[in-house]
Amino acid sequence: MSSINKQHILILTMSFLLASVMPVMARRSIQGKILAPTFAQITNKRVPNRSISAFVLNQRHKQCNLSPTFLKQPLYVSNKPGDTSSSFGAAYHASANQQIVARRNEINRQKRQARQKALDKDRERNLKLRNLFMEEKQNDSSSSSSHDSSSIPPMFAVKVVTCRTLRLELRMNGREKRGRMFVERPSIFSAMQNEGGEGEVEQRDDDASDDNEYACMSLKALKQTIHEFFRRLKKSTYILSASLPILDEDGNVLTSEEGDDDDQNINDNNSSLGMRRLETDEDVQNAFLQAEQFYQRHQEENESTSMKRPTLVIHVTKDPDAPPPPPPPPYLVGMPDPLTSPTMTMLSFYAFPPDEGISDPESTADQLKRLWRPFRALGRVYVAKEGVNAQMSVPTNVLSNFLQCCTVKPEEGGELSHVLGTYMENGINIDPIAVDMEEFQAKPAFKNLHIRVRSQIVADGFATPLDWQSAGYDMPPLEWHQKLKEAREANEKGVDNAPLPIVLDCRNDYETQVGKFELAEPLDTENFRDSWDVLKGRLKDVPKDAPVMTYCTGGIRCVKVNAYLTQEMGMTNVSRLAGGIISYDRTLNEQAPAEESMFKGVNYVFDSRMGRRITDDQLGTCYTCGSKTHLVSNCKNENCHRRMVQCENCVDSLLGTCSEGCKGRVVNAGMVPKRKGEATNNDVDETRQESDEVYTNVDDYSSGYSSSSPSLFRQIELNTAALLPSGAHMVSGAMQGSLLKMLASQTSGRVLEIGSFTGYATACFLEGAAIAGELGERKEAGIGGREGGPFVLSLERDRRALGIASAHIKAMSELGLDEDAAEEASKLADGPIVDFEGDSVSFTYKGIAGCEFLRVNDALATVEEMASSQSQLAPFDIAFVDADKTRLMDYVDALASNDRLLKKGGLIIVDNVLWKGLVLDANNNGYDSSDETSPTGSNEEKALLKKNRRARKLAMKMHQFNSEVVRDERVEVVMMPIRDGLSLIRKR
């Protein structure tokens, strides 16, 4: 058989195997082509034209930890002849990055589902316990005064007491030191009592799996229930023991003093309190059965007692056999508090671990976030199979500790030597000048620590990576400085036959415009992945042994450029500036401060500073006027965001935009802060509707050409600011209030409001309900109420807010909306606030619309109960939700589950869905939890940090709600950017 035939057979055989193993990739048709593997593609690691086969794709997917079948988006394959590698590589890595993000989102979605499932189960249990309490209360009120000792309540009371060691070790608060919880008593307990009598029950063979979900039937379920109330116990290993309660003469349960429950080895039935260890399900069942028997005996012996139900005392003690917690790593021992640092230090580094690189980028990213959290570091870090690329800000007082964390060896307590350590080329680039903390906080380089997994740490456009360990000579900064000085002198003297080096600036055009080394030639690329064609054109006629010197900001791009020059273009005399411009600047300042810098102008950096000024040279040309400058910025028009060189005068005159058109968009969109003395949206009055009024943004313009609010509504705003100043921003306001009124007027006028606050939205809905009643001729049908007609039912838990809201609606119902009502309402600010008393109060407006305020402890539980009950409450047209932001989806579920509470086609209106604009950050980057440690400093600093942390968490919750509700097939959603955002959710 000829060698050609053998080769053909081998190709066909391997193609058949590939098609069998990877049918998705081998058979996928992309732009009319079938990906047919060639012999060269199968047998060679790298192909000259860098086209890629199913085999190579599979290798890249392995490097990204993605299976070929996980790839959902079609990959790009060019039909153009002679297409370069970068076009396909860029498309490939863009698709790979999308898959990484999609996988991360899927993992997060599954975690959210698991958390939601646990929350639903917890809520279901609490609702069941609540119903049991209500049944007990009804039974107590309807039962006779005679004592019935045979009746056993459906719940156990469990007192939980933790030992001193756990309290100190876990820093438990007062509620977690000792507390009470309730456990449902299953009906099977009666049968178990009959089997066991006064002794211990025998282990049953017919235990149903459902029974083990009860905390009194299973050790696992008991621990889960304890963790719901005492969350910190999840972090420790402990022993559970049980004892019967000690009662006083009136039947009240006594709890041991704090010092009486010290750590001690508890022997079964051997303690002075009769404690017994709980180690099996049978132990748990016996303990609860004994508590029930103790309760029955006590009831039989005492005609009158305060003991209402069977009670068990659970003692939680630290396990003496548990391994001690690991000691802190050496770099954290004696570390100062990073929050007390007066300055922040900017730094950057990169690492290309050899061989297989980073085997699991996802877990490495999680590890970096965990290890760097104690330093309160901020920054942007990319992790990929090929390595790590980081730009960060670190508090200066813990900088040495941070450096140890990144470099210490495993035998000395380090965990990053396999990723960073010696693989960080030239160590860590540290900016020579620290930034004052006040200056940093005013304009932070980074706002969070974002660690992201990518397919590459620097997008180079290569479909197959080069060998980053073979990238030419890494030239130290001082040697680089001397080489450039000699080249400059030779160039100035005009020395013939002097071998001047080719100095290439590997950065993008906007970086080189404001600063570069003398004699350097910029590549003038818009993106780094465009460098390869430029290099081919520049060096095509250059001898292979010609000296080529390359540099970039921190050194990482030079590694890839020099690897390309040596491995793809065959250059043999290639060197790169070790650590880039940052390292050169620092080294020259520290070791040769008298030397003139060969770098002129500004070193552009990839954080909010946009650049560090090294010399006073102004090399850049202003994008808008052409004058010389050193400033780099991004256009303030978010839809443009052009990165540009712009002088200070143009920045001021164009408000930070690139053109008059973008300036107009910024002004009209209200992105420019108001000047002192200008009116706000809530200050709109009749004079603003005159035609000669000048408006500076569309929000004011919209308010100016909308109908003015009634006097009472403006007084409600003033009262809220005076009586509840911390919540003044929560009032709906004129624009939103008018919209709510109009929506209510277009229905039958039935509105359920969840969250009354001070009654602004309530008044708007009530006015709209009255209009609906007039249009619907409800006057003859009587006043609207729970059973039907125009009616506003408002739920609120805060008694103070309810007191204010009810006073406002009282004035409205008696005097209307004009000056008389406003004057009456203004009296609230003069006297003391009277908290709301009772459970409800009702009003009538214009003899048509009814309004009822209902005080509730848990609005969601009330809504769920109303939605599930067969009461006489007629369904509503609108449900306005301005309540607990962490449970918004639960409200939607309750309202959309059936048509008892909200009509089919009804509206659910949710307020604050933009949450001060922070949902944008939640959507784009998420929030890092690196600053979740306890704050230190002044009380004001603590309060501010706590407030900011809460705002970020609620923004994430709001973004999660927005993401979930828009995908809910039961509803359709329109989000409106009015005030803090309003979502109109129509029930299908």
Side-chain angles (χ1 to χ4, degrees), residues 345-617:
T345 296
M346 312 300 298
L347 57 86
S348 64
F349 58 87
Y350 63 92
F352 288 108
D355 303 326
E356 296 298 323
I358 298 176
S359 59
D360 189 350
E362 292 280 358
S363 63
T364 299
D366 292 338
Q367 183 185 33
L368 293 176
K369 186 176 295 186
R370 172 178 57 84
L371 294 178
W372 289 344
R373 183 174 293 121
F375 305 108
R376 310 285 292 190
L378 308 174
R380 181 172 53 248
V381 183
Y382 295 128
V383 182
K385 180 79 174 177
E386 64 183 7
V388 178
N389 183 15
Q391 293 88 37
M392 303 180 69
S393 302
V394 178
T396 309
N397 66 340
V398 298
L399 179 61
S400 60
N401 305 82
F402 179 81
L403 299 181
Q404 290 179 38
C405 174
C406 297
T407 57
V408 71
K409 298 177 180 178
E411 55 269 20
E412 298 174 0
E415 299 182 48
L416 297 178
S417 60
H418 67 294
V419 177
L420 303 178
T422 57
Y423 305 136
M424 290 190 296
E425 290 204 11
N426 310 297
I428 296 180
N429 269 330
I430 301 175
D431 198 279
I433 301 177
V435 182
D436 182 77
M437 188 60 73
E438 290 186 3
E439 179 184 348
F440 182 87
Q441 291 174 347
K443 191 177 181 181
F446 304 103
K447 296 181 179 180
N448 270 305
L449 176 60
H450 297 295
I451 302 179
R452 299 286 182 254
V453 176
R454 293 288 186 265
S455 66
Q456 290 181 308
I457 56 176
V458 174
D460 53 31
F462 291 154
T464 306
L466 300 175
D467 180 7
W468 309 128
Q469 308 303 317
S470 177
Y473 172 51
D474 204 22
M475 185 179 293
L478 292 181
E479 182 180 347
W480 174 278
H481 178 77
Q482 188 62 33
K483 289 277 188 184
L484 288 187
K485 281 184 62 177
E486 293 172 357
R488 182 178 65 179
E489 293 172 359
N491 187 51
E492 291 174 349
K493 293 178 180 178
V495 178
D496 295 333
N497 301 322
L500 295 179
I502 300 173
V503 183
L504 299 177
D505 189 331
C506 301
R507 302 173 299 157
N508 295 323
D509 51 6
Y510 55 86
E511 300 173 74
T512 60
Q513 287 175 23
V514 293
K516 65 185 185 69
F517 279 103
E518 291 191 51
L519 305 180
E521 300 179 33
L523 298 184
D524 285 331
T525 57
E526 291 187 11
N527 297 290
F528 178 61
R529 60 177 174 269
D530 301 330
S531 303
W532 321 121
D533 289 338
V534 177
L535 290 170
K536 287 179 182 178
R538 172 62 182 84
L539 301 175
K540 63 180 180 180
D541 298 326
V542 174
K544 299 300 182 183
D545 60 349
V548 179
M549 299 168 60
T550 65
Y551 71 91
C552 59
T553 305
I556 186 171
R557 284 178 282 185
C558 297
V559 172
K560 295 201 168 190
V561 167
N562 285 20
Y564 181 82
L565 293 177
T566 57
Q567 298 171 41
E568 295 295 308
M569 297 187 63
M571 306 300 292
T572 59
N573 189 6
V574 177
S575 59
R576 51 195 164 91
L577 174 57
I581 304 168
I582 297 175
S583 178
Y584 173 85
D585 180 32
R586 186 188 73 251
T587 304
L588 206 64
N589 276 292
E590 292 176 353
Q591 301 182 28
E595 286 286 324
E596 176 194 0
S597 174
M598 294 297 294
F599 184 91
K600 307 299 182 183
V602 172
N603 179 25
Y604 181 93
V605 291
F606 293 90
D607 55 50
S608 64
R609 298 176 301 164
M610 305 291 283
R612 164 167 158 68
R613 194 167 187 174
I614 295 179
T615 69
D616 293 331
D617 298 86

Side-chain angles (χ1 to χ4, degrees), residues 51-90:
S51 61
I52 197 156
S53 67
F55 173 79
V56 179
L57 279 173
N58 192 38
Q59 299 307 307
R60 301 285 72 75
H61 283 302
K62 286 181 179 178
Q63 291 186 1
C64 296
N65 288 331
L66 297 170
S67 63
T69 56
F70 189 79
L71 195 63
K72 301 298 183 184
Q73 302 296 328
L75 294 180
Y76 169 82
V77 174
S78 176
N79 283 319
K80 298 179 182 179
D83 199 6
T84 62
S85 63
S86 61
S87 61
F88 179 82

Side-chain angles (χ1 to χ4, degrees), residues 32 84 92 259 343-344 347 362 370 438 479 496 540 585 646 661 669 691 717 758 762 803 872 903 939 944 946:
T84 62
Y92 168 76
T343 58
M344 293 287 284
L347 57 86
E362 292 280 358
R370 172 178 57 84
E438 290 186 3
E479 182 180 347
D496 295 333
K540 63 180 180 180
D585 180 32
Q646 191 176 51
S691 60
E717 289 188 83
T758 56
T762 315
Q872 298 300 316
K903 294 178 181 177
N939 291 334
L944 180 61
K946 185 176 181 180

Side-chain angles (χ1 to χ4, degrees), residues 168-437:
L168 297 175
E169 187 177 284
L170 302 179
R171 298 180 181 179
M172 303 177 78
N173 57 37
R175 179 183 177 276
E176 292 174 317
K177 291 176 182 177
R178 59 182 79 250
R180 184 178 64 168
M181 62 185 191
F182 294 94
V183 172
E184 184 181 358
R185 176 185 183 273
S187 57
I188 195 174
F189 247 57
S190 300
M192 294 173 64
Q193 277 232 46
N194 295 333
E195 292 176 9
E198 291 293 323
E200 297 184 356
V201 298
E202 298 178 358
Q203 183 66 32
R204 291 157 33 90
D205 295 330
D206 58 343
D207 285 341
S209 59
D210 290 344
D211 294 335
N212 289 331
E213 295 182 0
Y214 290 96
C216 58
M217 297 290 293
S218 161
L219 181 62
K220 179 181 178 182
L222 177 61
K223 287 186 175 182
Q224 289 175 345
T225 305
I226 291 175
H227 291 165
E228 290 172 5
F229 290 89
F230 308 92
R231 299 183 185 277
R232 296 185 189 232
L233 288 175
K234 292 181 181 180
K235 302 177 181 179
S236 180
T237 304
Y238 56 84
I239 295 173
L240 290 183
S241 304
S243 69
L244 296 175
I246 300 175
L247 307 179
D248 63 11
E249 57 185 13
D250 295 325
N252 296 308
V253 178
L254 299 177
T255 305
S256 61
E257 294 299 324
E258 187 168 319
D260 292 342
D261 49 326
D262 289 341
D263 303 351
Q264 54 184 333
N265 294 326
I266 302 173
N267 298 317
D268 288 346
N269 305 313
N270 219 9
S271 165
S272 60
L273 295 178
M275 287 191 288
R276 59 180 299 151
R277 290 273 288 270
L278 302 180
E279 297 177 328
T280 65
D281 292 350
E282 186 178 356
D283 293 336
V284 174
Q285 296 166 16
N286 285 325
F288 278 95
L289 280 174
Q290 290 182 13
E292 188 169 291
Q293 293 162 4
F294 177 81
Y295 168 78
Q296 288 177 314
R297 289 196 300 269
H298 180 77
Q299 294 289 322
E300 292 170 356
E301 297 171 359
N302 297 272
E303 290 293 331
S304 177
T305 178
S306 298
M307 191 177 187
K308 301 297 184 183
R309 67 189 74 257
T311 302
L312 189 67
V313 180
I314 299 291
H315 302 267
V316 186
T317 36
K318 183 174 177 61
D319 187 355
D321 299 326
Y331 51 80
L332 291 182
V333 176
M335 185 182 77
D337 184 357
L339 291 176
T340 63
S341 178
T343 58
M344 293 287 284
T345 296
M346 312 300 298
L347 57 86
S348 64
F349 58 87
Y350 63 92
F352 288 108
D355 303 326
E356 296 298 323
I358 298 176
S359 59
D360 189 350
E362 292 280 358
S363 63
T364 299
D366 292 338
Q367 183 185 33
L368 293 176
K369 186 176 295 186
R370 172 178 57 84
L371 294 178
W372 289 344
R373 183 174 293 121
F375 305 108
R376 310 285 292 190
L378 308 174
R380 181 172 53 248
V381 183
Y382 295 128
V383 182
K385 180 79 174 177
E386 64 183 7
V388 178
N389 183 15
Q391 293 88 37
M392 303 180 69
S393 302
V394 178
T396 309
N397 66 340
V398 298
L399 179 61
S400 60
N401 305 82
F402 179 81
L403 299 181
Q404 290 179 38
C405 174
C406 297
T407 57
V408 71
K409 298 177 180 178
E411 55 269 20
E412 298 174 0
E415 299 182 48
L416 297 178
S417 60
H418 67 294
V419 177
L420 303 178
T422 57
Y423 305 136
M424 290 190 296
E425 290 204 11
N426 310 297
I428 296 180
N429 269 330
I430 301 175
D431 198 279
I433 301 177
V435 182
D436 182 77
M437 188 60 73

Side-chain angles (χ1 to χ4, degrees), residues 79 462 824 839 904 974:
N79 283 319
F462 291 154
E824 179 66 23
D839 294 327
K904 186 174 182 180
V974 174

